[in-house]
Amino acid sequence: MPHTYTYLFCDLRTDTVLAELPLREVKFSTELNGIGALSAMVPYNADTIPLDPDIATRQARTALYVDRDGVIVWAGIVWTRDLVPGGKAIQAADFMSYYQHRTVRTTLATDPTLITNSAYVPDGQLLYPDQRYLVWSLLRYANVQPYGDIGISVGYLASEPGTGINRMASYFGYERPLVYDAVAALAASDDGFDFGIETYWTQPANNDPPARVKRARVWYPRRGRQSAAESGLVFSSGGPEPSILDYDWPENGTEVATDVTALGGGTGEARLKSSAQATDMLSAGYPLLEKVTTYTDVLEQPRLDGTARADLAAASQADTQPSFDVAADADPVVGSYSVGDVALFVIAPDERTPAGRQDELRILSIETTITDSGGERVALKCGAV
């Protein structure tokens, strides 16, 4: 089934449409708790040159929205461009990448003894302790700085119920920590959350046309549907209309750890340390496999303890990283699943897997490639539930 893709290039700060341009060699990805990327080529021809593609695609100043059949399926910021025969290659990253370019310039903390202005952010320096509102505090702080608002709405974070998980956190202005790194570190803590920027069209109302919306989200405890029974998603390599076209199910123990030590701030013997051990794996027969992680900006022991437990959970599942090439229009069709969803993956017996295999896996990444003929190829990267 052919699908219609539209590519809107907009001014990053005002969201004013600069041009609608055709793209070739398009590939874009969505990542769970990461930053999705897009690469494409803007052709130079009689149709595009009058639209001034050089102005419409300026790096660090342009937002790009990818619309598929009236649904925004990817959005982000053009960061780099390269000259290529017949046009210009562009590389973009989703809107969360903006916060990789924003820093905390004034000390912010949940502990009022570390700050001079005890009013809550953004009027003061005090951070809300619940992890959802802590993220709101950081993004709100970034948005209210002069010229710092690119239209990412953070109000939805404040309107949702708290997670019930309080964090101790401090970000010292003289260190200029990145806002994105601060959010990602909180998310990766034990009993953390998933995060990202949602983009979509509003519904037309009162004769107003649809408008583009981009808003920050925190999902707690996790994003997506958490079992195959809940999602109803089944990808299969068998049957008359298989949804799995190809797969790779590597088994790699090099990143597995049964004991993790997280190092925090400080020096020498005074440096903060926290260890976590997978006693269930050790009892089941695994040997002691040690890993050390470093977080020099973490100065609170409870936060470091949670980080060590989270690192252990990730390291104990590091050998489950299968990937699948799936058909865009076979059931489950593109758009019926998202990163964070859990699906059942069924491999029919074949020469690589003679006995067949099936497992529930969590979708961590979705990468879409659009061929110049209009076809779609979709690649999924998955992990343990």
Side-chain angles (χ1 to χ4, degrees), residues 110-152:
T110 54
D111 183 353
T113 66
L114 299 177
I115 56 180
T116 57
N117 184 343
S118 59
Y120 280 105
V121 171
D123 298 319
Q125 299 169 260
L126 188 61
L127 297 169
Y128 291 92
D130 185 276
Q131 58 185 353
R132 184 189 303 278
Y133 305 141
L134 216 168
V135 173
W136 175 87
S137 297
L138 289 166
L139 300 188
R140 175 86 168 122
Y141 167 85
N143 282 8
V144 301
Q145 304 307 309
Y147 312 109
D149 188 354
I150 62 167
I152 296 175

Side-chain angles (χ1 to χ4, degrees), residues 31-34 96 135 180 183-184 187 193-197 217-219 223:
E31 309 289 335
L32 181 67
N33 298 335
M96 203 69 206
V135 173
Y180 176 83
V183 173
F193 52 86
D194 294 331
F195 67 94
I197 306 295
R217 289 291 310 272
V218 161
W219 292 269
R223 180 179 185 175

